[in-house]
Amino acid sequence: MEGTKNSILFGMIEEKYGTKVDRLGLTRTTSEQSLRSGPLSTSGIKGKRTSAFLSTIKKMVNFSDSSSAKRKSSSVAGLLRQRKNLTREFSADSHVQSDWWDPPQNSLPVEFCQDTSLHGLKYIGQPQRHLSERIFWFLAFVAGLSIATWLISEMWTKYKQNPVIVSFQPFETNVDQVPFPAITICNMNKVMKTKADDFIKRANADDEEARRDAYYLDHVCSSTKSFAKRFNFSRDGELQEWQRQKFKFNDTAFTANLTKVNEFLRKAAQNCTDMIPLCVWQDVEVDCSTLFRPIETEFGKCCTFNMVPLSLLYTLRNDSRDDPLEIEQWQSWDIDSDGMLFSSTAPYTNQFPRRQMKAGLTSGLSVLLNVNSKEYYCTSSDSIGFRMTTHLPVEVPKIADFGISLRPRSEIFVDVIPQITMSDEDIYSFSLDKRNCYKKGEYKLNHYKYYSVENCINECIANDTIAKCGCKRYYMPRNASEQLCGPQKFECAEEVKFNKTKNGIRNTCNMCLPSCTEIYYEMQSTSAFMKNTIWKYGNGSGDQWEQENLSIVHVYVSQDSFYAKVRKELYGPTDLFANTGGLMGLCLGFSGLSLMEVIYFLTLRAWWKSRRKHVLPPKQKESTWAAKNKLPKDEFIIPTAVNQQASYYRSIFGEIRQFEEMKSE
């Protein structure tokens, strides 16, 4: 209590005279004067101590002039009177002192709070801190810990739910690394007029084969629903009812085995050589018959370029029209091991699939299309012209859904933009429902050798069709033992397809996920009207199709390189570690060394502290008076011009200890 009173008194002196008092020097000087005054009796201790204290006060405070002696004497006396009153005040307010709790210094948790680098904990373990300060910093630390836990939890939840993101590749993919798209062109006319007339003429003459052809003719033309036909404004190509009865179309014995619609289309539709008479590939004139092959689609008979042979596309089906040499060359392209893209350093040894070696129109494909409008009999639309689509060489074309129109007597420029999506091998460690794509060879189709989303959807619809109708459409994948749907099963097959698509084809065929590496070809077309006199030779003569409605189509890639999209991890191990550490550092000041501090205090520090108790003798307990009046290091005052008369650091250790013992009596 005595030390506390002295501290209060020092503060009042400093405030009154505007000077800083050396509290330690004052206390020690007081003790020196009281000890040098001679032996003290118990009754004289208080008087001697007061006299020594006054004498020291006078030496510690320097007044500027002699006229202030009276003010000095009265001020010191007043301070002493206030000092006596402070004894009663502190005894009455002793509960205030109890809030200034000093933590036990030998406690390991207290030492950790004082020494750790974590923000806020040192204010909890420091001595001479009020209880409200400790509560404030404790709540602040708990709040920071809670915020850090919440943020880290949100980050990990996002990583677990969506661990894969799609970003752009940091380097470019050259045009010669990308396969040139397969191009499929279809005439909107499904059946040539001269051939349809021939079928009907021979059927009227009771020709059995012609009757079958007439049956197929009626089915193909009636099943094609253009916009006008849906409202019964046009019935082009359909036979009259009396013709159907005459040809015995209602005789099930006659129509039961009529399922080969694809063979009918091959002989009834326009040939590829007639539809595409002139071709230029890579700025070189090429025979079109070596570039284009016929293919039957849901749109009808079409001609395709740079598409894998059907004998390689399907697993259980061979096509006699495929060239064995071409099949052998296509087999050298191993998509599962080599991928969709070609290496930028490997030499160009494979002819298939074809690829454009540089950007621009002259390195692409240019063809002349002959619409042959005089032969239009029944069409899949209400216009004259062509439909064209670009697709992967290993996919079946979807002309009806994704084709663009090519009008006659025009020059059309089709710019193809490959949309490439690749994937890092890091995502293959995730489960299928997280990465949402198939890696190479992960999902095998039953009827296709190559996986793609479109091939998977085609197989999904075909499997449902044969399950409900007992047959498959002519353009669907099948094996030799599966029956083809004839005209009598047409409605059933169409209903299956409608039910599959009305609820979302990706929902009903949910196994058809995209491939982790895929290419989609986007088309942008422009056109201009063509001159009438360009198809004349120098002598004035022309070809047989000079008066027909012709079109010139240029298909090419106009960009030298592309930035592919890449599926990759949202956070790698380094990213997760760095983000977690960054959030903990932001909220708590936590670092790797902070973790080492915790480990150190729980292991080495705790072990050596326990060992020290057994090796070193117990520390002597400091006297009560000395403990209360020990000043922190920051309260040592360097003498100034105001208190130069003070005696610093005179006391001897023995004298101070003797004085402390005297105080404790």
Side-chain angles (χ1 to χ4, degrees):
M1 183 65 70
E2 188 72 12
T4 307
K5 298 174 187 177
N6 291 339
S7 298
I8 299 299
L9 182 59
F10 297 156
M12 298 175 66
I13 292 173
E14 293 171 351
E15 181 180 0
K16 185 173 186 66
Y17 296 101
T19 183
K20 189 71 175 179
V21 177
D22 184 355
R23 303 182 183 185
L24 182 59
L26 177 60
T27 305
R28 290 176 178 174
T29 305
T30 303
S31 65
E32 287 179 329
Q33 293 182 5
S34 62
L35 289 173
R36 290 171 182 170
S37 62
L40 298 175
S41 61
T42 305
S43 61
I45 290 175
K46 184 175 181 181
K48 294 291 182 179
R49 187 188 310 158
T50 303
S51 177
F53 194 81
L54 284 171
S55 178
T56 307
I57 289 287
K58 293 175 183 179
K59 292 181 180 181
M60 295 290 289
V61 181
N62 183 22
F63 293 90
S64 59
D65 55 352
S66 59
S67 63
S68 61
K70 182 177 180 181
R71 180 168 54 89
K72 176 177 67 174
S73 176
S74 60
S75 299
V76 172
L79 290 173
L80 291 176
R81 285 194 300 271
Q82 293 182 22
R83 182 183 175 197
K84 292 180 181 180
N85 295 331
L86 286 174
T87 304
R88 294 189 295 270
E89 292 176 7
F90 269 85
S91 61
D93 298 334
S94 60
H95 68 281
V96 177
Q97 291 180 323
S98 63
D99 293 340
W100 299 85
W101 172 73
D102 287 336
Q105 298 302 311
N106 293 328
S107 173
L108 189 63
V110 172
E111 292 182 5
F112 175 76
C113 291
Q114 292 176 346
D115 298 337
T116 184
S117 60
L118 292 175
H119 295 175
L121 289 183
K122 66 179 181 180
Y123 300 107
I124 300 176
Q126 281 181 349
Q128 300 299 322
R129 294 286 179 186
H130 195 267
L131 181 61
S132 61
E133 295 181 76
R134 303 182 194 279
I135 295 175
F136 171 80
W137 283 109
F138 174 77
L139 295 178
F141 182 80
V142 171
L145 181 62
S146 301
I147 294 174
T149 303
W150 176 71
L151 292 176
I152 294 172
S153 175
E154 288 291 314
M155 181 189 68
W156 277 90
T157 301
K158 180 180 179 181
Y159 172 73
K160 291 180 179 179
Q161 291 179 350
N162 301 295
V164 178
I165 61 171
V166 178
S167 61
F168 285 100
Q169 196 176 29
F171 51 88
E172 295 178 331
T173 300
N174 297 329
V175 64
D176 60 349
Q177 296 180 253
V178 183
F180 195 79
I183 300 173
T184 303
I185 304 174
C186 306
N187 196 322
M188 293 184 184
N189 181 31
K190 286 191 171 184
V191 179
M192 303 287 287
K193 187 176 184 302
T194 55
K195 293 185 178 182
D197 294 339
D198 181 64
F199 295 150
I200 296 174
K201 181 179 179 180
R202 290 191 293 113
N204 287 326
D206 295 332
D207 188 328
E208 189 70 16
E209 182 179 358
R211 286 177 55 206
R212 291 193 295 267
D213 291 334
Y215 179 74
Y216 289 131
L217 173 65
D218 183 60
H219 165 65
V220 169
C221 294
S222 62
S223 61
T224 302
K225 296 296 184 182
S226 66
F227 185 83
K229 281 186 177 181
R230 291 180 179 274
F231 298 96
N232 295 322
F233 286 109
S234 173
R235 301 184 64 86
D236 289 343
E238 297 184 26
L239 298 180
Q240 300 296 324
E241 187 61 33
W242 65 269
Q243 291 177 313
R244 293 187 180 126
Q245 294 179 359
K246 180 178 181 180
F247 299 154
K248 302 180 179 179
F249 288 171
N250 297 328
D251 186 359
T252 56
F254 169 70
T255 60
N257 297 323
L258 297 182
T259 59
K260 298 180 180 180
V261 181
N262 56 329
E263 294 183 0
F264 169 78
L265 291 175
R266 292 178 186 177
K267 62 182 179 181
Q270 186 182 21
N271 293 327
C272 290
T273 54
D274 296 333
M275 185 171 70
I276 311 174
L278 299 178
C279 299
V280 176
W281 166 245
Q282 300 277 10
D283 206 20
V284 177
E285 297 83 0
V286 183
D287 185 2
C288 297
S289 61
T290 62
L291 298 180
F292 286 87
R293 292 182 293 103
I295 182 175
E296 291 77 41
T297 68
E298 60 180 334
F299 194 80
K301 182 181 178 181
C302 304
C303 302
T304 185
F305 165 79
N306 202 36
M307 180 178 172
V308 66
L310 298 180
S311 299
L312 288 180
L313 180 62
Y314 298 110
T315 56
L316 303 173
R317 177 179 169 188
N318 292 321
D319 198 311
S320 59
R321 297 170 295 178
D322 293 336
D323 184 1
L325 180 59
E326 186 175 336
I327 293 176
E328 182 179 353
Q329 293 176 339
W330 274 96
Q331 285 177 333
S332 60
W333 184 39
D334 191 354
I335 296 180
D336 291 336
S337 60
D338 300 335
M340 285 287 185
L341 301 180
F342 298 99
S343 174
S344 58
T345 58
Y348 182 46
T349 57
N350 296 334
Q351 184 180 357
F352 299 102
R354 297 176 176 90
R355 49 179 172 165
Q356 188 170 330
M357 303 310 295
K358 70 181 185 70
L361 184 147
T362 58
S363 297
L365 176 70
S366 298
V367 296
L368 177 68
L369 300 181
N370 179 17
V371 71
N372 202 358
S373 58
K374 293 181 179 180
E375 288 287 343
Y376 265 51
Y377 182 78
C378 66
T379 63
S380 55
S381 65
D382 298 314
S383 58
I384 296 175
F386 300 92
R387 296 290 296 275
M388 187 189 79
T389 187
T390 56
H391 54 95
L392 272 176
V394 294
E395 282 184 349
V396 174
K398 291 282 189 177
I399 294 288
D401 294 327
F402 307 119
I404 63 172
S405 61
L406 306 175
R407 64 185 181 185
R409 305 188 68 82
S410 300
E411 187 173 14
I412 301 103
F413 302 86
V414 181
D415 183 8
V416 178
I417 304 174
Q419 303 291 339
I420 307 169
T421 304
M422 306 177 67
S423 61
D424 287 341
E425 293 187 359
D426 297 337
I427 70 170
Y428 295 156
S429 59
F430 298 125
S431 60
L432 181 61
D433 60 328
K434 298 298 182 184
R435 58 182 148 89
N436 199 34
C437 67
Y438 289 126
K439 57 185 178 181
K440 299 174 184 177
E442 184 175 9
Y443 187 79
K444 294 290 186 180
L445 299 175
N446 294 327
H447 296 283
Y448 292 98
K449 293 181 181 178
Y450 306 98
Y451 179 84
S452 71
V453 176
E454 293 302 327
N455 290 349
C456 181
I457 292 176
N458 289 338
E459 184 170 296
C460 175
I461 297 176
N463 292 338
D464 205 13
T465 302
I466 195 172
K468 296 182 178 180
C469 304
C471 60
K472 290 182 178 180
R473 297 293 305 276
Y474 65 91
Y475 56 84
M476 293 180 176
R478 65 187 187 281
N479 56 37
S481 61
E482 292 174 332
Q483 295 292 326
L484 286 173
C485 293
Q488 65 276 9
K489 293 293 186 69
F490 171 77
E491 296 295 337
C492 176
E494 286 296 303
E495 183 180 1
V496 170
K497 182 179 179 181
F498 176 78
N499 292 333
K500 279 285 186 181
T501 56
K502 73 175 182 180
N503 296 322
I505 192 66
R506 297 295 290 272
N507 295 326
T508 54
C509 299
N510 53 11
M511 78 292 292
C512 296
L513 300 177
S515 178
C516 291
T517 301
E518 60 182 357
I519 303 176
Y520 168 73
Y521 298 96
E522 179 182 344
M523 294 181 292
Q524 296 179 356
S525 64
T526 57
S527 63
F529 288 107
M530 199 163 50
K531 295 188 298 182
N532 296 329
T533 60
I534 62 173
W535 306 112
K536 297 286 186 179
Y537 294 114
N539 57 7
S541 63
D543 285 308
Q544 59 180 354
W545 29 259
E546 62 177 340
Q547 300 300 325
E548 304 296 338
N549 295 326
L550 302 176
S551 297
I552 300 175
V553 181
H554 306 281
V555 184
Y556 57 95
V557 179
S558 62
Q559 300 181 18
D560 285 318
S561 57
F562 319 93
Y563 283 100
K565 299 176 183 178
V566 182
R567 290 186 176 95
K568 60 182 181 179
E569 285 183 299
L570 175 63
Y571 299 118
T574 304
D575 299 325
L576 286 173
F577 185 77
N579 290 341
T580 302
L583 290 174
M584 295 185 69
L586 174 67
C587 299
L588 302 173
F590 186 88
S591 65
L593 290 180
S594 301
L595 179 62
M596 298 306 298
E597 288 178 356
V598 176
I599 298 174
Y600 163 70
F601 271 93
L602 294 177
T603 55
L604 290 176
R605 186 72 171 265
W607 188 78
W608 283 113
K609 190 175 183 67
S610 63
R611 291 286 297 168
R612 186 179 182 185
K613 293 180 180 178
H614 299 291
V615 175
L616 298 178
K619 185 178 180 180
Q620 293 183 355
K621 185 176 181 180
E622 194 174 22
S623 62
T624 306
W625 186 87
K628 288 184 177 180
N629 291 273
K630 182 183 295 184
L631 296 177
K633 293 182 179 179
D634 58 353
E635 290 194 32
F636 284 100
I637 308 301
I638 299 177
T640 61
V642 180
N643 55 8
Q644 290 179 355
Q645 301 177 23
S647 298
Y648 289 96
Y649 313 110
R650 288 183 178 178
S651 48
I652 303 173
F653 180 79
E655 291 179 344
I656 295 176
R657 185 171 181 179
Q658 182 180 0
F659 181 68
E660 290 175 351
E661 292 176 354
M662 179 188 68
K663 293 272 293 183
S664 62
E665 293 179 358

